[in-house]
């Protein structure tokens, strides 16, 4: 039989482990590397697409494309039109 004390322990332990993950150096390092890579790809994507793609008007548009691509959402409202932009999109999908 699960008592209130046991139930509280069952919920607290996983939550502590989950919160400890955010404090770990591996998580912080991988997050910094991954997000830096996404931001760099969005900057390159912006400079490649801004002149030919009417959907890219600001850097935020290219950042949106990069995060939507990396997270596999693929919203579809912004798509690359240049060959270089398509290669950047493919490269983003592989990370």
């Amino acid at each position: 039989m699960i008592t209130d004390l046991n139930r509280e322990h069952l919920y607290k332990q996983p939550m502590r482990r989950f919160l400890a993950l955010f404090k770990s150096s591996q998580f912080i390092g991988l997050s910094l590397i991954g997000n830096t890579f996404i931001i760099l790809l969005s900057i390159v994507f912006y400079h490649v697409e801004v002149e030919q793609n009417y959907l890219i008007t600001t850097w935020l548009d290219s950042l949106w494309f990069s995060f939507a691509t990396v997270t596999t959402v693929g919203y579809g409202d912004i798509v690359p039109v240049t060959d270089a932009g398509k290669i950047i999109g493919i490269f983003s999908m592989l990370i």
Side-chain angles (χ1 to χ4, degrees), residues 30-44:
L30 287 173
S31 294
L32 286 173
I33 290 169
N35 287 322
T36 300
F37 190 68
I38 293 168
I39 290 170
L40 290 175
L41 280 175
S42 70
I43 291 169
V44 172

Side-chain angles (χ1 to χ4, degrees), residues 59-77:
W59 177 72
L60 187 58
D61 293 332
S62 64
L63 187 64
W64 169 260
F65 169 78
S66 295
F67 271 100
T69 302
V70 169
T71 58
T72 68
V73 173
Y75 193 64
D77 57 339

Side-chain angles (χ1 to χ4, degrees), residues 3 6 26 50 68 75 85 94:
T3 63
N6 288 340
Q26 294 91 355
V50 71
Y75 193 64
L94 294 175

Side-chain angles (χ1 to χ4, degrees), residues 8-81:
E8 185 176 314
H9 177 71
L10 286 174
Y11 294 122
K12 280 189 176 182
Q13 189 64 24
M15 184 57 90
R16 285 185 186 147
R17 290 177 56 196
F18 180 72
L19 293 175
L21 170 70
F22 290 103
K23 296 178 183 176
S24 72
S25 60
Q26 294 91 355
F27 178 80
I28 293 170
L30 287 173
S31 294
L32 286 173
I33 290 169
N35 287 322
T36 300
F37 190 68
I38 293 168
I39 290 170
L40 290 175
L41 280 175
S42 70
I43 291 169
V44 172
F45 183 78
Y46 174 78
H47 288 292
V48 166
E49 291 281 321
V50 71
E51 296 295 324
Q52 291 85 15
N53 194 341
Y54 72 94
L55 297 171
I56 304 293
T57 57
T58 65
W59 177 72
L60 187 58
D61 293 332
S62 64
L63 187 64
W64 169 260
F65 169 78
S66 295
F67 271 100
T69 302
V70 169
T71 58
T72 68
V73 173
Y75 193 64
D77 57 339
I78 298 174
V79 294
V81 296

